[in-house]
Amino acid sequence: MTMENSAHESLENKAAELLRLHQDPTLLTVVNVWDSITAKVVADTPGTAALATASHSIAASLGYEDGENIPVELMIETVGRIAQATTLPVTADLEGGYGDAAETVRKAIGVGIVGANIEDQMKPLDQAVAQVQAIMDAAIAEGVPDFVLNARTDAFVKAGDRDPAEVLADAIERGTAYLDAGAPVVFVPGKLDEEAVTTLVDAFGPQKLTVIGLPGVPSLARLEELGVARVSYGPMSQRVALTALQELVEEVHRGGGVPSNMRPLN
């Protein structure tokens, strides 16, 4: 087997494992990372089965505002470095696809990524469905049919003051259409209560819904019981890290120093 064939087989295996982790009744939790060192820290922490990047955090770490302001080439380079930092499967947050979601996913696969979040940005449904189909076709063409597209609907994110029942109905319609178009899972970010999660799982089926672990959402144990596939944390992991940094600065300004429980990093 050539080195190229071996690398591709490894990519296929990682995609298959990431898909299996989503399909398993055990809830998959991914604490999002934004560079090589955070990838290494999270990957080396016992219990971690896969990594997920956070586009907001990557953009912020490189001096860009969130919302596809970072050049796509720089985003691809960064998620590639993260993939190189671990042997675990990595799924990347690629925002709305930077103008060509299928091509962006193709490039991401080329640097070792085996799953992706792609926002629908509430485009007309037919366009959003066509985008899902194009992404999955691109993954198949790249030899990674188990690519885990976490098809994101922004129904709740862009809800504004709309009737919550209408927003939930939108999320169901869009998510169901994305699953029918070939996406293995659907991401519905928002502060979802237990009733909303239950309704979405009933509509999509078990292990088809992924959510973000915002304060106030059901507990991880309850989300697992309800049949959620995955919980991620978006930019909140970076906020936690930066809060710790800020607290260190405040402690130094008070005349103190580093905390005694600081852990060594290899």
Side-chain angles (χ1 to χ4, degrees), residues 130-141:
Q131 178 171 273
V132 168
Q133 292 171 331
I135 290 167
M136 296 310 298
D137 286 346
I140 292 169

Side-chain angles (χ1 to χ4, degrees), residues 238-251:
Q238 188 181 63
R239 291 178 190 173
V240 169
L242 294 178
T243 297
L245 176 61
Q246 188 176 49
E247 289 174 348
L248 170 60
V249 175
E250 292 168 349
E251 178 63 21

Side-chain angles (χ1 to χ4, degrees), residues 96-178:
Y98 307 99
D100 188 340
E103 177 61 12
T104 298
V105 164
R106 188 191 67 78
K107 290 177 179 177
I109 290 172
V111 297
I113 297 301
V114 294
N117 290 5
I118 299 288
E119 304 162 1
D120 67 0
Q121 299 173 335
M122 296 305 285
K123 298 173 182 173
L125 185 55
D126 59 341
Q127 294 179 24
V129 168
Q131 178 171 273
V132 168
Q133 292 171 331
I135 290 167
M136 296 310 298
D137 286 346
I140 292 169
E142 292 300 308
V144 189
D146 290 331
F147 187 85
V148 181
L149 172 60
N150 195 27
R152 167 174 157 167
T153 176
D154 291 320
F156 281 89
V157 173
K158 296 182 178 292
D161 58 0
R162 294 180 61 211
D163 182 337
E166 291 181 3
V167 175
L168 182 59
D170 265 359
I172 290 171
E173 179 184 25
R174 286 175 169 270
T176 301
Y178 303 157

Side-chain angles (χ1 to χ4, degrees), residues 3 16 29 57 68 92-93 103 116 135 140 142 146 187 237:
M3 187 175 298
T29 56
S57 301
E68 299 195 351
D93 179 355
E103 177 61 12
I135 290 167
I140 292 169
E142 292 300 308
D146 290 331
F187 182 30
S237 52

Side-chain angles (χ1 to χ4, degrees), residues 180-194:
D180 289 345
V185 283
V186 171
F187 182 30
V188 184
K191 193 170 183 178
L192 306 178
D193 60 18
E194 184 166 323

